[in-house]
Amino acid sequence: MQPTQKFEEDVAFVREAVEKRDRMQYNSIAIALLWAIINVAGYMVNDFRPETGRLYWPIATFIGFLISFWIAKRAMRARGIIRSGVRARYGWHWGSLFVVIPIAVFIALRHGLAMEPSVMNQFITLIVGVTCYLAGLHLDRRFLLPGIVHIVGAPAVDYLAPYPWTMVGLAIAASLIISALWMKPNEKTAL
């Protein structure tokens, strides 16, 4: 085989790999859809059955976290990527919410700041928004828009009517889907 022919084959292989990667860039739409459903359902619970929210959110987010991790792991395997470091970074980032939110709730309860469930929900939405936004800065830029919508949605609840949490949940769901469909992930870290 001549060096020119070998070089052309190598370039063709690289081009094909890049094109394949670009076609598969939105493979995490399942994760975005999962979280869109969890958010809409949860925020509707906040409006219509707020007493149920205390059970819904911890259970739904934990199950959603496990399902997201499983979907991402399968997607990476299907693409032939075995990088546990990326999965671990995502896992630690999102898993930190399971530590930060209970601490915030404890502090709020300790100082009497969480008497009204809606206020606590606003604080938690803000914490999730900042976490999501930081994921957009450091992990995958597709999390920027949902992070901003969470952050803006937390105080907006006070000004929306008649179903403020449902409107915020729908906006968050839309931002998740829009980001997953129309934004390219950054670098090679996207799941």
Side-chain angles (χ1 to χ4, degrees):
M1 183 180 289
Q2 293 183 358
T4 308
Q5 184 181 5
K6 174 77 170 125
F7 178 74
E8 288 174 359
E9 287 178 5
D10 290 346
V11 169
F13 174 78
V14 170
R15 182 181 302 140
E16 183 181 328
V18 169
E19 288 173 356
K20 183 179 178 184
R21 183 203 67 200
D22 288 345
R23 283 191 308 269
M24 296 182 69
Q25 69 188 354
Y26 302 122
N27 62 2
S28 64
I29 187 69
I31 295 173
L33 186 59
L34 170 71
W35 285 102
I37 292 167
I38 289 170
N39 275 284
V40 168
Y43 286 117
M44 287 177 75
V45 164
N46 287 358
D47 272 336
F48 299 105
R49 305 275 301 183
E51 66 282 356
T52 308
R54 290 184 179 149
L55 288 175
Y56 174 84
W57 283 109
I59 293 169
T61 53
F62 183 71
I63 291 170
F65 177 79
L66 293 176
I67 292 171
S68 297
F69 195 78
W70 177 76
I71 291 170
K73 187 175 180 178
R74 266 187 87 203
M76 289 181 78
R77 276 193 186 151
R79 288 173 40 190
I81 301 171
I82 313 264
R83 295 184 304 185
S84 62
V86 173
R87 286 193 311 265
R89 191 170 31 189
Y90 274 78
W92 283 109
H93 178 85
W94 294 109
S96 69
L97 287 171
F98 292 107
V99 175
V100 173
I101 290 173
I103 291 172
V105 169
F106 173 76
I107 292 169
L109 290 172
R110 179 81 170 96
H111 295 284
L113 299 174
M115 295 308 203
E116 177 64 36
S118 182
V119 174
M120 199 65 240
N121 292 338
Q122 286 177 285
F123 284 129
I124 292 171
T125 300
L126 181 62
I127 291 168
V128 172
V130 170
T131 305
C132 196
Y133 184 77
L134 290 174
L137 291 178
H138 302 293
L139 298 175
D140 185 341
R141 70 188 189 121
R142 292 178 289 180
F143 292 112
L144 286 172
L145 180 60
I148 291 168
V149 174
H150 272 90
I151 292 168
V152 171
V157 169
D158 290 335
Y159 304 99
L160 299 172
Y163 303 110
W165 286 110
T166 301
M167 287 190 249
V168 169
L170 289 170
I172 291 168
S175 70
L176 285 164
I177 301 297
I178 289 168
S179 292
L181 290 175
W182 287 294
M183 291 181 72
K184 286 187 176 186
N186 58 346
E187 301 179 20
K188 298 175 184 174
T189 60
L191 297 174

